[in-house]
Structures are given as C-alpha cells and as structure tokens.
Amino acid sequence: MKNIFTLTFLLISFFSLEAKNDNNKKALIFADSLLYHIIDVYSANDNNLLLETYPKNSNQKISYLAQGTEKKVSQPVSFLWPYSGMLSGVTNLYIVTSNKKYLDLLKKNILPGLEQYWDNNREPACYQSFPTKYGEHGRYYDDNVWIALDYCDLYSKTKDKDFLNKAVQLYNYIFSGWDNRLGGGIFWCEQQKVSKNSCSNAPATVLCAKLFQLTKNDKYLEQAKATYQWTKNNLLDPSDYLVWDNIKLNGTIDKTKFSYNSGQMLNAAAILYKITKEEDYLFDAKKMAANIEKHFRTKTAKNNPNLKIYRDMGWFNVIMFRGFKALYEIDNNPEYLSHIKENIEYVINNNRDENGLVGKDWSGNNNEKHKWLLDNACLIEIFAQFGALDIK
C-alpha cells in the first residue's frame, strides 16, 4: 500500500555503519527495502511502468519530443532516464549479492518495462525518451549509454549472450552519433545535432572499454582510446582536469561543470589504465579525482555544519561515485569513497520525507514536494555497492 513502509524499511531508518559485516548487511537490506518501496510508491499501474515523481505532479508534461513534434501534453509515466535508474539499481543488487530474486525481478518486471521505450521503427534501433505507445519521441545518445553499461555488467555476471548483444546493439546506435565535425565526438540528441556533450562521450568511452574487456575485440579498445582523447582534447579544462558540459558545432564551449561528467571521465581514465597500464591514464585519473573532490564537495549539510556535501543532484553524485570506485580498485585509497559514504548516511538519516523519499539536494537545504524517481532509484545502486565495500 502506498505511503506505508515495510517493517524492514522502518527498522533500518536510522542506522550507523560501524562494524564491517553489520555495515554491509545493513546497506544491502536498505537497498533492497528501498527498491521494493519505490516499485510500490511509484507504480503507474501500467505494465511495469513508473511515475516520474511521487506524489504525481499533475503539471508534469512531456516536454522533449522528437524535433518537429514538440508539444506539451500530460505525462502519465516516467521518461526513460529515471526508469533506467531502476535498471542500474537492480543490476547492482544482483551483481553484489548473486541473489536470483533480483535477476528474476529484472526479467519479469524491469526489462519488460524498459522494452516499452524500445524504438525499432528508426534505424539504428535504440531506446527513445518515452514509451513508444505514446508516439515518436526524441532519442538521446547518453540515455542509451547508461543502459548499455548495465547490460555489460549483466553479461559479465550472467554470461547471458542476450545482454551482450543488447549492449553491442546500443553501442552501434551510440556511435552512429559520431561524425567528423569538430574532429569527432558523439552528439547529445539524435534529433538536435547542435552540440557534442561530455555526457555522451565520457560514458561511451567506459562502454567501449567494458566491451573490450568482455569480447577482447580490439576495435572497442581503439574506439575507447579515440573517444577518451577527443573528450580530453575538446572538453577537459586543462587548469583543473574537470570536464566542461559541451561544445557547439561553431566551437563555442559551454563551460558548466557537473560531477557526473567529470566522474565518468575519471571512470574512463581508470578503466583504460587497468587495460593498458599506460601511466598517463592513471595520472589523469588521480588529478581528476582530487579536483572533483575540491570542486564539488562544497555544500554545508543543513543539520550538520561540519559536514561537506557534494553539491550536485543525487544521480550525478552516484555516477561520480562510479569513477571514485574505479580509482579505488587501483590505488586502494578509500578517502573519496568515505566522503560519499558520509554523505549518503546523512541523506538517509536527515532528508527523507514522510513517504521515505529524498530530493535532489543531498545537503537538505532545498526541498521539493514532488520527489523524482531518479533521485531515489540511484540510492539503490550506491547502497548496493557499499554493501560490498570495506569503507570506514
């Protein structure tokens, strides 16, 4: 029933993560409980689809469609992007725990819901931004990258070729967005090819590297290196090794910086170092990590003036966490992960509303009435991962 927490959810509402084993168990219990709570609360009662926000925002409109079809109409279910956060959350729980119930949930609920966004009327086929039964909508290269990364992880865990085939199919779509204008790089939106964005190119580098690790096909490694180098040449600020948002076709750079863009470039550098052992990648990764920490962990927690919080929205910070984790797997330095762990403990203990949901701002200084699906789904992933990490 909506608005009613499970007993487990209530019991672990205010937890401390001290002893290693207890820490891991409680993190996994929390991730599990949050998963099922989200499915319950955000259910759109429409074939495994979910709401964009809870409570549902009656003013929420479908606002980004395929070019030439823009019109704002009522939004009955979520966009692809927040729905993909559920794929990431359940995937991470399965990878960490090996509990078959999560694989069953993926196959029976999450993936069937996701397939309602699949558009094979336009080629190459990919996921569009809204379920196809509601018409033709915009298709975004970055939306498809996040899903392809999860398919890589699912194949690595299960060896189910269907997951690898889907990742490769999405790779083909994503790199159909690469052309020679500006010397290469992937656009952001198929229908609006006006800018090449770090949110498309940095995670596409990670995707190529993962596909190389899974297949040993050199074409993926060469594409990973080329995409990394293009992004570094065009979107990396040489003064601090953080990543700018995008470059327009006229050469104008939007120098806005987000934690997830720099975090994915860090992830890319770390995974390329693991593969190649080329020291330049490790140098880049360490420099990026230090400056991500300095630039983004700047907000003051509302209820704890001594605690610094990562300033971007939750999902951006979770994608940043992936980069820190990739570096930790190389240097075993827990500093950055410890700070993120402090942040998410604070969020869970201080920032949940009467429905057990959180908003975009981890500091708690800003609040929204309508809690976004992605802000909550992303916590499943990060708590699942901390269920497997030995971080004090």
Side-chain angles (χ1 to χ4, degrees), residues 148-149 151-157 159 161 163-164 167-168 207-217 220 275:
L149 291 169
Y151 279 129
C152 285
D153 292 343
L154 284 168
Y155 174 69
S156 180
K157 178 73 172 180
K159 304 308 178 188
K161 283 288 182 67
F163 293 133
L164 178 60
V168 170
L207 173 61
C208 293
K210 286 194 173 194
L211 285 171
F212 170 75
Q213 290 177 316
L214 295 172
T215 68
K216 304 307 178 187
N217 187 329
Y220 295 122
I275 293 168

Side-chain angles (χ1 to χ4, degrees), residues 93-129:
L93 270 170
Y94 177 60
I95 287 170
V96 168
T97 66
S98 298
N99 190 325
K100 188 175 178 292
K101 77 172 184 176
Y102 299 121
L103 186 59
D104 290 342
L105 181 65
L106 278 166
K107 291 183 175 181
K108 294 177 182 177
N109 301 96
I110 302 301
L111 292 176
L114 185 64
E115 287 311 294
Q116 294 184 61
Y117 297 81
W118 185 254
D119 171 27
N120 55 13
N121 291 322
R122 292 172 283 182
E123 294 184 353
C126 73
Y127 295 100
Q128 66 171 33
S129 60

Side-chain angles (χ1 to χ4, degrees), residues 336-390:
Y336 305 128
L337 294 183
S338 294
H339 293 156
I340 295 177
K341 179 169 168 285
E342 286 180 340
N343 273 210
I344 62 170
E345 288 175 359
Y346 175 83
V347 169
I348 291 306
N349 288 314
N350 293 275
N351 293 356
R352 287 186 290 157
D353 66 12
E354 66 275 12
N355 299 306
L357 304 173
V358 303
K360 291 178 173 57
D361 178 18
W362 280 6
S363 75
N365 288 292
N366 299 305
N367 195 16
E368 312 94 42
K369 176 182 177 182
H370 304 280
K371 298 302 192 296
W372 194 25
L373 172 62
L374 188 59
D375 289 325
N376 290 275
C378 71
L379 294 180
I380 303 169
E381 172 181 343
I382 202 165
F383 274 97
Q385 284 297 325
F386 273 110
L389 291 168
D390 183 15

Side-chain angles (χ1 to χ4, degrees), residues 181-213:
R181 283 174 283 183
L182 300 174
I186 303 166
F187 288 99
W188 174 53
C189 177
E190 180 185 344
Q191 286 70 42
Q192 301 175 43
K193 292 184 175 178
V194 296
S195 65
K196 297 188 174 184
N197 293 46
S198 53
C199 67
S200 304
N201 288 277
T205 305
V206 178
L207 173 61
C208 293
K210 286 194 173 194
L211 285 171
F212 170 75
Q213 290 177 316

